Each structure stands twice: as C-alpha cells, then as structure tokens.
C-alpha cells in the first residue's frame, strides 16, 4: 500500500495470497471423486508447475522489449525457471522487439499470449522449469510428451462426453497428434492419451461438462371429491 509501484512487493503479495488460498483448499475434506481424480493424476505422471498457472500476474507493460526479456520478467514474477531448446533455433524470435500490455491476466494467459505471438511454445519440464522452443509441427512432435490420464465422471455419460470431445478436437487442424479417447461404461470414466497441452484443454472441457443434469420441479396437488360432486361437475 505504501509503494504500489514496488514490483517485488507486488509479486510477494501474490505469492502469499496463493499460499493462503492453497492452505484453505488443502484443509477442506475431499470427496471420494476428488480422491479418485488425484490418484489418476498421480498415476499419469503429467508434469505440472508447482505454481498455479491461473495465478494472476501484476500489471506488466513492455514497449519494444526483446521477447527473451519479456519471458524472463514473467518467469521472475511467477518464480519459475526458463530454458530454451537450441535445436529448434528460437534465437531469431527471442531477439525480436515486442510490445505488450499484460493487465489482469494469469501466468498461463501471459505465456500463451507472448509465445503465441512470436511463433514459440513452452513445455513443462518439471515443477519449476519450462522449456521454450520454436512452434512448428516437427518440434511439437519431438518435444511434447504423450501422457495417459483417467477422468472419473460424476454426472456426465462417458460415451456422450467422448463424442463431444472428439467433435471439438476434430475441428482443430493444428493438432500434430490426435488424442485417443476411450470410455469405460462400468466405472463411468474416460481414458485419454494425448500431449500435455491438449490434455489440459480436455481436462477443462470435462470439468465444465461434468455437471448435474437440469431438473424440472413440478408441484402436484391431489384433490378428493365425492361421486355426486364429480357427476354434477361433469
């Protein structure tokens, strides 16, 4: 509050706020479905950042700044490490001047905006590191790992949801490798094999679709009448 322009203080506030929210979430009792989902996520061994990619970043403004410096600033605020894939020769894109106004965006949105605008993409290496490379089908096929994850459904039907996901994925012509989706009717779950970025998209689709079905409430009133009254009333 005393020094709103202090970027280090702003970053520390965001980190403390994230820790507080994480402790609150950890303290809540987990349902059986949440436990099953966490077990499936651990088995799939999907590499994830220890920092929540949905954590909001402070307002960042860049004017004709080298892309490498923009990425370094975002990584510094998020507390993650960045390494570059020399085989894909990203230097030409990293040295370009870039102007961006990143206000009210999350870590994931900031990375996608900056990297996508400069023909780059990132891969999560471990909980603290991302790898940045030139974006083309060859590099994605070489660098992106294919993983398997099982999604247990609470309300949606596995076969119906599989059809919806496949329809959406088929419309994305930029996918190098199409995801393989297998429903399990017995456990009402879906097994997906695809790359990590596509898996994140499918996970959001499943969570947004796995909702209770809409219900209609009908009020019924039962009246008892005598035969004579019924005959008189027709």
């Amino acid at each position: 509050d005393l020094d709103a322009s202090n970027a280090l203080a702003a970053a520390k506030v965001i980190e403390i706020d994230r820790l507080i929210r994480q402790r609150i979430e950890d303290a809540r009792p987990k349902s059986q479905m949440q436990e099953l989902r966490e077990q499936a996520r651990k088995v799939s061994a999907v590499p994830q950042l220890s920092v929540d990619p949905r954590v909001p970043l402070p307002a960042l403004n860049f004017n004709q700044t080298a892309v490498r410096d923009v990425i370094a600033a975002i990584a510094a605020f998020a507390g993650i490490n960045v390494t570059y894939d020399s085989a894909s020769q990203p230097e030409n894109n990293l040295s370009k001047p870039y102007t961006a106004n990143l206000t009210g965006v999350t870590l994931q949105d900031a990375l996608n905006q900056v990297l996508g605008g400069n023909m780059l993409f990132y891969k999560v290496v471990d909980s603290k590191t991302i790898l940045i490379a030139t974006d083309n089908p060859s590099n994605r096929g070489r660098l992106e790992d294919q993983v398997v994850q099982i999604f247990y459904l609470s309300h949606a039907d596995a076969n119906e949801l599989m059809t919806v996901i496949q329809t959406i994925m088929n419309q994305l012509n930029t996918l190098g490798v199409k995801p393989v989706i297998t429903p399990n009717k017995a456990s009402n779950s879906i097994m997906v094999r695809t790359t990590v970025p596509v898996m994140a998209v499918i996970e959001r689709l499943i969570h947004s679709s796995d909702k209770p079905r809409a219900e209609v409430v009908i009020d019924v009133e039962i009246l008892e009448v005598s035969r004579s009254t019924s005959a008189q009333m027709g």
Side-chain angles (χ1 to χ4, degrees):
D1 291 337
L2 293 176
D3 186 5
S5 62
N6 191 324
L8 293 178
K12 191 64 177 178
V13 168
I14 293 174
E15 176 66 16
I16 293 175
D17 181 65
R18 185 191 66 80
L19 289 174
I20 292 175
R21 287 187 284 107
Q22 186 64 44
R23 288 175 182 175
I24 294 175
E25 291 296 327
D26 293 342
R28 292 178 179 174
K30 297 179 181 179
S31 65
Q32 184 178 6
M33 183 60 64
Q34 288 176 320
E35 292 179 353
L36 287 172
R37 286 172 177 167
E38 288 186 1
Q39 291 175 6
R41 188 176 288 108
K42 291 177 181 178
V43 171
S44 65
V46 178
Q48 294 180 340
L49 290 173
S50 59
V51 179
D52 189 347
R54 297 167 296 181
V55 62
L57 294 176
L60 299 174
N61 296 305
F62 302 96
N63 184 20
Q64 294 297 299
T65 306
V67 175
R68 181 188 292 274
D69 295 334
V70 175
I71 296 172
I74 295 174
F77 277 109
I80 59 177
N81 304 316
V82 179
T83 184
Y84 299 93
D85 176 53
S86 59
S88 65
Q89 299 179 345
E91 290 300 328
N92 292 335
N93 296 329
L94 293 172
S95 59
K96 292 179 179 178
Y98 185 71
T99 299
N101 180 15
L102 304 177
T103 303
V105 299
T106 64
L107 170 61
Q108 186 174 29
D109 293 337
L111 288 174
N112 290 338
Q113 179 178 331
V114 175
L115 299 180
N118 293 280
M119 296 300 294
L120 300 167
F121 76 99
Y122 76 94
K123 167 190 174 181
V124 178
V125 178
D126 54 42
S127 60
K128 280 290 186 179
T129 309
I130 61 173
L131 173 72
I132 293 179
T134 304
D135 191 359
N136 57 51
S138 175
N139 289 330
R140 285 189 175 270
R142 176 174 60 87
L143 294 174
E144 290 186 340
D145 300 323
Q146 290 214 30
V147 294
V148 177
Q149 188 166 342
I150 299 175
F151 298 94
Y152 292 94
L153 306 177
S154 300
H155 308 283
D157 179 77
N159 289 304
E160 293 179 0
L161 190 54
M162 178 196 68
T163 303
V164 172
I165 296 173
Q166 287 180 335
T167 302
I168 296 175
M169 292 294 108
N170 290 335
Q171 297 174 356
L172 302 177
N173 299 324
T174 57
L175 293 180
V177 180
K178 295 292 184 181
V180 177
I181 306 172
T182 306
N184 187 329
K185 189 174 182 180
S187 61
N188 197 34
S189 62
I190 292 178
M191 183 175 67
V192 181
R193 178 172 63 85
T194 184
T195 60
V196 175
V198 176
M199 186 71 78
V201 175
I202 292 178
E203 184 174 7
R204 289 197 294 270
L205 286 174
I206 291 176
H207 288 171
S208 62
S209 302
D210 190 21
K211 303 293 183 183
R213 295 184 180 273
E215 297 180 353
V216 179
V217 178
I218 301 177
D219 292 329
V220 179
E221 184 177 2
I222 301 177
L223 303 178
E224 182 180 356
V225 296
S226 64
R227 286 181 176 273
S228 58
T229 304
S230 177
Q232 291 174 4
M233 295 178 65

